[in-house]
Amino acid sequence: MTKQEIFKAYEDYIVPSYKRLPYIFVKGKGSKMVDIDAKTYLDFFPGWGVSNLGHCHPKVMSAVREQVSKLIHLPNNFYSLAQAQLAKEIIYWAFDGKVFFSNSGAEANEAAIKLSRKFGRGARYEIITFENSFHGRTLATLSATGQAKHQEGFAPLAPGFKILPFNDLGAVKNSLTDKTVAIMLELIQGEGGVNVAEKDFILGLRKLCDEKNLLLIIDEVQTGIGRTGKMFCYEHYGITPDILTLAKALGGGLPIGAMVAKRNVADLLTAGTHASTFGGSPLVCKAALAVLRAIQKEKILKNVCEAGLYLKGKLEALKAKHRIIKEIRGLGLIWGVELNQEGAEIVNICLKNGLIINCTHSTVLRLMPALDVTGKQIDKAVVILDKALSEVEGGA
């Protein structure tokens, strides 16, 4: 198919629920993407954080090739070697608990919501979430999301959620009732503008949950699997959640989600209370195992810390140079560049010059390069971004 034929097929046959950029990519390797015209791009936003190890990582490809010739799918009323191995590996990296496998972050968060209600035993069901959060597109996770723009047109939303200001412990304390069962949040709000939770806020939430017998649910769909320089972002705060949700990067490009819950809580989901037909198939579990082992063997977390500091320094230098940059914030290799104007034009200019980045919340440029990104690749990306910023300022 030609480019125009592909565009026309999308127009005719695919639901228009995405705002698409007019680029057609056909190949990827590491941080490099190649479009249908054979033009190469440096990808600093690989798959919305799915491809943490870059595109087509050799260890992931090898694991998938090996498994796909043996067994692709296995129903969850049988035992799976790959699922057992992956669950054990996740618990090794996380905390003592049990894992439920799904296909996406939204499904992992749905499982966390259902488990919370089980924990509340019918008497407690309210979950506190936060403004500018993003927990998924299903009706329940959309209701938990603290962004009205995503909820428009889908009323009535699912009941049982209270959305409060982020980093405001007092607001949480004042909102507790005898119906409250859990507090759910992202430690870095990616879709909400790369807003980082304050340490005192998180320590306060953990203490509050312990005192009031509430569940602390940490949504690490975007920050998990090494993105912040530790396997999980919660490790930076010196706390352990009661429930942890994962997806995106876990499968190295294949669709997998996981909810990890402390043992006493996890066992509330007894047989028949929750399920996922495709959750934790042998294929995706083998891919996820390859991801976790690559992170360990290739010293990925060390690179995230070093490259993250280097990228931060480069972005701070851009802030000093460009008047349209208001603030730089982030951790590890997730960074937000907040502008005092909309950022879509800058994203488009970067794309034309071979750099893929993202703009969220309309004014925040988001950079999330592969975790094995090099200093040379960061330099190249910053040069392109610098030129785009200059072009926009010059035309202002």
Side-chain angles (χ1 to χ4, degrees):
M1 297 174 79
T2 65
K3 283 197 289 187
Q4 292 308 314
E5 286 172 337
I6 293 170
F7 294 147
K8 187 67 166 60
Y10 268 76
E11 184 181 335
D12 290 346
Y13 306 117
I14 294 179
V15 172
S17 60
Y18 298 94
K19 186 176 180 181
R20 300 182 196 274
L21 297 164
Y23 293 80
I24 301 168
F25 290 101
V26 296
K27 211 163 41 169
K29 189 71 175 173
S31 291
K32 185 172 83 170
M33 289 275 274
V34 182
D35 72 10
I36 197 168
D37 296 317
K39 180 180 176 180
T40 61
Y41 298 76
L42 181 59
D43 193 354
F44 262 50
F45 196 70
W48 297 75
V50 166
S51 302
N52 264 15
L53 296 178
H55 299 281
C56 300
H57 189 279
K59 285 185 172 62
V60 176
M61 288 196 299
S62 176
V64 170
R65 285 195 191 104
E66 180 189 0
Q67 185 61 43
V68 80
S69 64
K70 294 178 179 177
L71 187 64
I72 295 174
H73 176 73
L74 186 68
N76 278 314
N77 58 327
F78 294 110
Y79 288 86
S80 163
L81 171 62
Q83 194 175 109
Q85 290 173 323
L86 178 58
K88 186 176 180 180
E89 190 83 3
I90 289 172
I91 295 303
Y92 166 81
W93 284 105
F95 51 85
D96 188 35
K98 295 184 178 182
V99 184
F100 174 84
F101 289 109
S102 61
N103 306 287
S104 68
E107 288 186 19
N109 285 333
E110 283 273 354
I113 291 166
K114 285 184 69 175
L115 180 53
S116 298
R117 293 206 172 180
K118 269 284 189 180
F119 181 75
R121 301 184 188 280
R124 298 190 297 157
Y125 56 86
E126 287 181 350
I127 299 175
I128 290 173
T129 64
F130 296 93
E131 293 172 359
N132 293 318
S133 61
F134 185 88
H135 296 294
R137 302 278 190 172
T138 64
L139 193 58
T141 56
L142 186 66
S143 302
T145 292
Q147 297 188 60
K149 66 181 181 182
H150 295 305
Q151 299 169 336
E152 291 173 7
F154 297 107
L157 298 173
F161 298 96
K162 282 186 178 178
I163 299 173
L164 303 179
F166 193 52
N167 280 325
D168 189 338
L169 187 61
V172 176
K173 290 179 178 178
N174 292 334
S175 297
L176 296 179
T177 72
D178 59 359
K179 303 295 185 188
T180 309
V181 71
I183 299 171
M184 181 178 189
L185 77 159
E186 306 151 280
L187 296 171
I188 301 177
Q189 295 179 327
E191 294 297 313
V194 193
N195 308 308
V196 183
E198 296 169 1
K199 188 165 187 177
D200 286 347
F201 176 61
I202 300 305
L203 293 176
L205 291 182
R206 179 67 275 178
K207 183 181 179 185
L208 196 61
C209 287
D210 291 339
E211 291 172 348
K212 303 292 185 180
N213 192 29
L214 309 176
L215 297 178
L216 182 60
I217 305 168
I218 302 295
D219 176 344
E220 293 223 32
V221 169
Q222 190 162 107
T223 56
I225 319 300
R227 174 55 60 186
T228 64
K230 293 185 182 291
M231 185 62 81
F232 308 116
C233 189
Y234 73 78
E235 297 175 72
H236 292 283
Y237 293 83
I239 60 104
T240 301
D242 298 299
I243 300 175
L244 170 70
T245 58
L246 305 168
K248 290 194 186 295
L250 180 58
L254 274 72
I256 184 172
M259 178 197 69
V260 187
K262 288 182 177 177
R263 288 182 180 273
N264 62 318
V265 181
D267 286 340
L268 294 171
L269 283 185
T270 53
T273 57
H274 196 51
S276 175
T277 299
F278 293 98
S281 77
L283 187 64
V284 297
C285 285
K286 288 293 279 190
L289 278 165
V291 168
L292 295 177
R293 288 167 185 174
I295 287 174
Q296 189 170 24
K297 289 179 182 178
E298 297 175 16
K299 299 180 179 177
I300 294 294
L301 298 180
K302 182 173 183 286
N303 188 71
V304 174
C305 294
E306 293 172 353
L309 286 174
Y310 185 67
L311 177 56
K312 179 185 179 183
K314 290 287 184 178
L315 294 176
E316 291 286 1
L318 287 183
K319 180 179 181 293
K321 179 179 178 181
H322 295 282
R323 66 181 185 274
I324 65 171
I325 297 179
K326 283 176 62 178
E327 187 180 10
I328 305 294
R329 54 182 181 264
L331 183 65
L333 283 173
I334 173 170
W335 289 96
V337 179
E338 185 172 3
L339 310 173
N340 55 29
Q341 65 181 63
E342 295 198 354
E345 185 181 359
I346 293 168
V347 171
N348 288 330
I349 294 170
C350 286
L351 265 168
K352 288 175 185 175
N353 290 292
L355 173 67
I356 302 170
I357 61 171
N358 169 255
C359 180
T360 188
H361 238 54
S362 76
T363 58
V364 182
L365 302 178
R366 186 166 37 159
L367 286 74
M368 292 172 52
L371 305 188
D372 60 357
V373 68
T374 65
K376 190 183 232 183
Q377 289 169 331
I378 289 172
D379 290 342
K380 182 179 178 181
V382 170
V383 166
I384 295 171
L385 179 56
D386 185 15
K387 289 178 179 176
L389 291 163
S390 296
E391 186 175 331
V392 169
E393 284 179 333

